[in-house]
Amino acid sequence: MNSPTATRLVRHLACATVLAAVLSACGSGAGADGDAQDADPASVTGTLRVLTPSFGTSTAGKNALQQVIDTFHQTYPKVKVEADNTTFDTLGQKISTSLAAGQGYDVYVTGIGWIPPFASKGLYTDLSTFGFTKSTLSKDFNSALYDAVQYDGKIYGVPLIAGPKIVAYRKSMFEAAGLDPDKPPTNWAELRADAKKLVERDASGKLQRAGFDFWAGPGGLPQDYTAFAGSVGGAQYSAAGKPTFNDAKSVKAIGFMSDLINKDKVTDYGLVSSDSTALVLKGKAAMGFVGGYLDCSEKTGVGQDVCDDLGFFNITETRPAMYTGGQVASVGARSKLKAAAYTFVKVLSSQESETAMAKLNFAVPARNGATAEDPAGAFALKNLQHAAFQGGSTGYLETRNNFGPVIDEIVLGKKKAQEALDELAATEK
């Protein structure tokens, strides 16, 4: 989780070779896990290094992070917290650089799909060390996120937020086009037909309003692909971690997306607004992807009138699918403050902290019983059982670097879908 725009994709996982080498050196044989808890947390000293992309640099983000630190200090008052507030674009680079320098983090917040690549190299601590079991997971967190925090039968992460990219439509535009505003598309054929009725171009062919918006610039289509592939029962990887993104279902999904852009011309390739706001929210698209949190206020958000005009639906063909990213928190395997690190993770995964992070990341809390006051969040929480995730293999992050450009080549007609996807799959074999 994971973020919904193309800028939140991990495009540059630099130092991959160095990362693999240093991680191999910090596997299970490099040292024992240490004590599961401190006898007297109030007397523990040291510096807890935390790597997180969850809070950003806004005032609201800084305040939310400080609240987590203040709460942690109620238990560990003498432990200094050194928070590296990074972005997903630089997260992989930060991890590899820190390990190469022999200074791994105590707490890692990473994305959906990141657990297998790093857990397989020994970066994380098995959370059963602290009594966090499958029973704990199922009791406290949304079931849609269970697989995302496990590898090889062990739990290496605590779910924080789910970051869906859901589909919204403008009811008023449906009605003006002669469509029923209470009946959004229920399959691909209906989506295509409605998008063709809703698109508006001038006499020269210049797009005035998209019929369907992918909310993705160049390189940013993998999330949308995940939803379309999921809607025909496809997934990027098998349960055994083998690539399946080159199977018939995936080829069909990318082909449909390409047809919407190139044949039906319901939008233009790579179209995004100057401020990265989803075009549906700006009235520049009648249907399209938006984030899982929507600020309806007049001062800081899109306004109540826009929120009232929105309806939501899942991409559906043989089944509903909703792309979902997200974020999970882990304890570093080489941490010398593991009990304190786990306490910090528990604070991060509290209802209060998850709610704050969700608003900052267009997401929803991962905890059971979470609610959302905004319409997008309410729809996302209600539909998390339809989540379609990226990832599922130990080589996922390297493949993810190339996935966006490969889909672009297909959409732009530079390569045939089967050929391009087969080539990408071969890099993981």
Side-chain angles (χ1 to χ4, degrees):
M1 157 348 272
N2 32 57
S3 79
T5 61
T7 58
R8 289 177 181 167
L9 291 174
V10 182
R11 296 177 182 168
H12 305 289
L13 188 62
C15 303
T17 302
V18 174
L19 177 60
V22 295
L23 285 177
S24 296
C26 63
S28 59
D33 280 340
D35 294 333
Q37 61 184 18
D38 290 313
D40 181 16
S43 66
V44 176
T45 60
T47 298
L48 194 76
R49 301 184 71 235
V50 178
L51 180 66
T52 173
S54 307
F55 296 95
T57 58
S58 68
T59 299
K62 291 178 180 179
N63 290 340
L65 177 57
Q66 189 59 52
Q67 181 61 51
V68 171
I69 295 172
D70 290 345
T71 301
F72 167 78
H73 278 150
Q74 292 175 14
T75 305
Y76 285 89
K78 295 182 180 180
V79 174
K80 179 183 177 181
V81 176
E82 186 179 284
D84 191 340
N85 211 18
T86 188
T87 67
F88 269 103
D89 285 328
T90 59
L91 190 58
Q93 173 86 38
K94 291 271 189 178
I95 294 173
S96 62
T97 300
S98 68
L99 290 172
Q103 294 182 331
Y105 292 88
D106 300 285
V107 175
Y108 294 90
V109 176
T110 55
I112 297 295
W114 290 56
I115 291 293
F118 288 134
S120 65
K121 300 296 185 181
L123 182 67
Y124 305 135
T125 297
D126 175 1
L127 295 184
S128 66
T129 302
F130 311 102
F132 190 92
T133 66
K134 292 182 180 180
S135 176
T136 311
L137 186 64
S138 61
K139 175 178 174 290
D140 294 336
F141 298 92
N142 193 294
S143 60
L145 301 172
Y146 292 174
D147 290 345
V149 298
Q150 298 185 60
Y151 172 72
D152 198 25
K154 297 179 180 179
I155 300 174
Y156 291 98
V158 177
L160 299 179
I161 54 176
K165 195 174 180 183
I166 65 178
V167 185
Y169 68 98
R170 299 297 288 263
K171 296 176 182 177
S172 60
M173 295 179 185
F174 263 53
E175 192 168 13
L179 299 171
D180 188 337
D182 295 321
K183 294 183 178 180
T186 60
N187 55 48
W188 288 5
E190 290 180 6
L191 188 151
R192 166 177 267 163
D194 290 354
K196 290 167 71 173
K197 288 182 179 180
L198 292 162
V199 67
E200 292 183 353
R201 294 182 181 271
D202 63 20
S204 67
K206 183 178 180 180
L207 186 68
Q208 302 298 306
R209 183 182 77 191
F212 185 87
D213 173 40
F214 290 97
W215 193 25
L221 287 171
Q223 295 176 349
D224 309 84
Y225 145 81
T226 301
F228 279 99
S231 73
V232 288
Q236 281 191 321
Y237 298 93
S238 69
K242 301 298 182 182
T244 55
F245 52 75
N246 59 331
D247 64 10
K249 294 174 182 178
S250 298
V251 171
K252 180 179 181 181
I254 294 178
F256 181 75
M257 293 166 60
S258 179
D259 285 348
L260 285 177
I261 297 170
N262 298 310
K263 291 184 179 180
D264 303 325
K265 298 188 180 302
V266 302
T267 189
D268 292 338
Y269 161 77
L271 182 66
V272 291
S273 63
S274 59
D275 61 359
S276 297
T277 300
L279 298 183
V280 176
L281 304 180
K282 298 175 76 73
K284 297 296 184 180
M287 288 190 295
F289 287 98
V290 300
Y293 169 77
L294 187 59
D295 183 353
C296 295
S297 69
E298 302 296 333
K299 289 186 178 181
T300 60
V302 297
Q304 193 60 51
D305 288 346
V306 171
C307 284
D308 290 342
D309 193 36
L310 292 174
F312 304 93
F313 65 95
N314 289 308
I315 300 295
T316 304
E317 182 66 357
T318 61
R319 68 184 189 187
M322 178 178 69
Y323 164 77
T324 303
Q327 297 178 20
V328 301
S330 303
V331 174
R334 283 316 233 3
S335 173
K336 295 181 179 179
L337 294 169
K338 287 188 179 179
Y342 180 63
T343 296
F344 195 90
V345 168
K346 288 197 293 182
V347 177
L348 277 176
S349 61
S350 68
Q351 191 71 67
E352 182 180 16
S353 297
E354 288 194 359
T355 298
M357 284 185 280
K359 292 181 179 180
L360 293 165
N361 290 273
F362 299 98
V364 293
R367 276 196 168 268
N368 284 333
T371 59
E373 297 180 359
D374 69 289
F379 178 87
L381 282 172
K382 185 178 179 180
N383 287 273
L384 272 183
Q385 72 270 25
H386 303 309
F389 297 108
Q390 291 180 304
S393 82
T394 57
Y396 160 66
L397 292 178
E398 288 82 356
T399 299
R400 184 177 181 175
N401 277 338
N402 299 317
F403 210 85
V406 167
I407 293 182
D408 285 352
E409 287 183 321
I410 296 169
V411 170
L412 293 172
K414 295 181 178 180
K415 281 190 175 181
K416 293 183 178 181
Q418 191 67 66
E419 173 190 356
L421 294 174
D422 283 346
E423 290 178 357
L424 184 59
T427 65
E428 282 203 39
K429 295 178 180 179

